[in-house]
Each structure stands twice: as structure tokens, then as C-alpha cells.
Amino acid sequence: MSQVAFVSHGGGPMPLLGDPSHSELVSTLQALTNELPKQPSVIIMISAHWETTGFEITASSTPDLIYDYYGFPDESYRIKYPAPGAPQLARDIALKMDIQGIPIRLNEGRGFDHGMFVPLILMYPEANIPVLQISLSSSLDPVQHWEFGEQLANVLPEDALVIGSGFSFHNMRTFFAPKTPKVNHDVHAFQAWLDETVTNSGVTMSEAKERWSKWSKVEGGRFCHPREEHLIPLIVCHAVSQKQGVSIPFTALDVEARHYVW
């Protein structure tokens, strides 16, 4: 049975630059591996920062890093995380997903974006575990991604670790605006719905799928995610965990970030 986690990856490279506002996120990610029962043989990363038509999977043996952020100190463009790829496993996953009716294209040129390397530098600094990254579909359709996660659960190696990297809250304007009572109300309303959906063992698989299909209608949902690319990795991870029948704890850093571990 695979291990599954959803993590908030912070603002660009800031968790790696000693930014005080990210100190709790950094310490939580550094401790997160202690919650996982075993060292994975491979990490399957679903990052908010890669969208394609349909789904793609990295297939290079030595992927480069993509510094997909702007205006940061020079040192943030010299960050290294030389984790190997797993091209044969990528081909195996793509073949098995195609048989299930959900094709994934192999991408031999794509590197790892900061949604991958920022959390993994903190969680697995040795960079000695092979990593595959899977894109989001540019549709950002919650049902499509839920069904993708269901099928992905069927083709994973038993000792894989699936990580969704995004944010439980991603309204960029509000990050830097005063936290008014209205803002706090909307954020907490959606976070309460999110925690109920993901952590309540009484929510069945079909009920979870239905809830996710209507997430944007939930109070505070569209306020917390004006665009949902940072939420979609959580949907994939939740589907993987539900298919495997795994219960879940979670860590709440603040009203803007959640880490869920299955």
C-alpha cells in the first residue's frame, strides 16, 4: 500500500531562504517524514505548478530543476536537488494507465519545478530517492482529477510515496491584505469543509467525489481559490488514499495551510 501526503509548499523559494514567516512550515515539513512509516522507493509528485493538456509524467533519468519564480535573491537560482528520475517506472505507469483508459504522455524534457524541490529538500535532503512528477490537466476539472487519482492508485508500486504539493488556501491578494472579519470567516468556513471532507472517515468514496465536484460552491471556496491549481493536487491525493482505504491525520499550520498525511 502506497503512502500519500498533501503538503503546502510555501511562497516560491522562501521556505529555503530563512524567511521567518515560513519557519513553522519548514519545521513541519522537516518532521513530516517521521509520520511516514517507511522510506519510499520512489516519490510520485503532483505539483500545482505543471499543467498540460491531459496528463504527462516526467521520463528523464536526470531531470533538471525549473526555477519558476521571479525576483528572488541570486542564491534561489542556484538551489540544487539532484534526485534521479525513474524513466522505466514512468513508462510502466503510463502503459497501465492507458490500459485503464486514462492516457499519460511521457515527457523526457521536463524538469522539476519548485512545487517539487522546495518540500523535498526539507523532507528528503539527501536527494537519493527517485522522483516522478505528474502534471495536472489544464481543465482543472475536479471530477477528472478524482478519477485520475482513483486509477493511479491501481498502478503504483507498493512502497511509493505520493505527494500532492499545493496550498489549501491560495488567494494571492489576501495573503498580503489585512485579515478582516469577513476574510477570516470565509477562510475558516472553507477550511472547515475541507477538513471534514478529507479527514472524516464517515465520508464514503462516492460522497467524497460528489463533495469535490461542488467545492467551488462551498462557502469561502472560490474566495480561497480564485483559480484552483493549488487545490487540485489534494483532490488527486484524496482519491488515491480513498481507493486504498487509508485513514488520515492532518496538521493545521494556520488558517492558510494544511498538511494531510495518509
Side-chain angles (χ1 to χ4, degrees):
M1 184 176 293
S2 302
Q3 303 169 93
V4 187
F6 173 79
V7 302
S8 294
H9 58 240
M14 293 172 70
L16 306 179
L17 301 179
D19 176 64
S21 68
H22 284 77
S23 60
E24 188 180 0
L25 184 146
V26 168
S27 62
T28 301
L29 284 172
Q30 289 173 332
L32 194 58
T33 51
N34 295 328
E35 297 183 37
L36 302 171
K38 57 186 177 182
Q39 177 99 342
S41 66
V42 64
I43 296 170
I44 312 294
M45 175 68 68
I46 298 125
S47 165
H49 292 280
W50 186 22
E51 298 175 34
T52 57
T53 302
F55 296 96
E56 295 187 8
I57 186 168
T58 55
S60 168
S61 59
T62 55
D64 295 325
L65 297 191
I66 302 171
Y67 303 109
D68 53 339
Y69 40 71
Y70 307 95
F72 289 94
D74 289 347
E75 63 187 283
S76 65
Y77 302 95
R78 295 192 294 267
I79 292 169
K80 302 298 181 186
Y81 192 72
Q88 185 55 56
L89 178 59
R91 294 184 184 93
D92 291 345
I93 289 174
L95 176 61
K96 291 174 182 177
M97 290 292 281
D98 189 58
I99 291 171
Q100 295 184 118
I102 301 182
I104 304 182
R105 294 185 303 275
L106 299 173
N107 189 323
E108 297 181 357
R110 167 78 185 191
F112 296 137
D113 59 56
H114 79 272
M116 175 275 196
F117 66 77
V118 168
L120 290 191
I121 285 173
L122 297 169
M123 294 175 66
Y124 296 102
E126 299 86 1
N128 58 359
I129 301 173
V131 180
L132 294 174
Q133 188 169 335
I134 297 176
S135 70
L136 305 181
S137 168
S138 56
S139 71
L140 299 182
D141 177 75
V143 172
Q144 180 189 17
H145 286 84
W146 177 273
E147 292 173 350
F148 178 85
E150 285 187 294
Q151 298 305 317
L152 182 64
N154 295 329
V155 306
L156 293 170
E158 182 125 342
D159 52 358
L161 169 60
V162 180
I163 299 180
S165 176
F167 242 111
S168 57
F169 173 93
H170 198 254
N171 184 322
M172 295 301 291
R173 290 187 177 183
T174 304
F175 273 130
F176 305 104
K179 302 300 188 288
T180 66
K182 171 63 173 169
V183 167
N184 286 330
H185 173 82
D186 287 350
V187 171
H188 283 289
F190 184 65
Q191 293 290 359
W193 177 89
L194 201 63
D195 294 340
E196 174 71 12
T197 299
V198 177
T199 67
N200 186 345
S201 60
V203 175
T204 67
M205 194 164 186
S206 60
E207 289 169 343
K209 181 179 180 180
E210 177 68 14
R211 286 172 72 93
W212 278 120
S213 73
K214 300 175 180 176
W215 76 267
S216 63
K217 308 297 184 185
V218 173
E219 184 178 17
R222 190 51 81 182
F223 172 77
C224 291
H225 291 277
R227 191 174 187 275
E228 55 266 45
E229 79 284 349
H230 277 69
L231 183 66
I232 295 294
L234 174 55
I235 298 177
V236 177
C237 287
H238 191 200
V240 172
S241 71
Q242 284 280 80
K243 190 66 179 282
Q244 296 184 141
V246 184
S247 60
I248 173 176
F250 78 98
T251 302
L253 297 184
D254 52 37
V255 296
E256 297 170 347
R258 293 289 193 272
H259 292 286
Y260 300 98
V261 180
W262 293 262

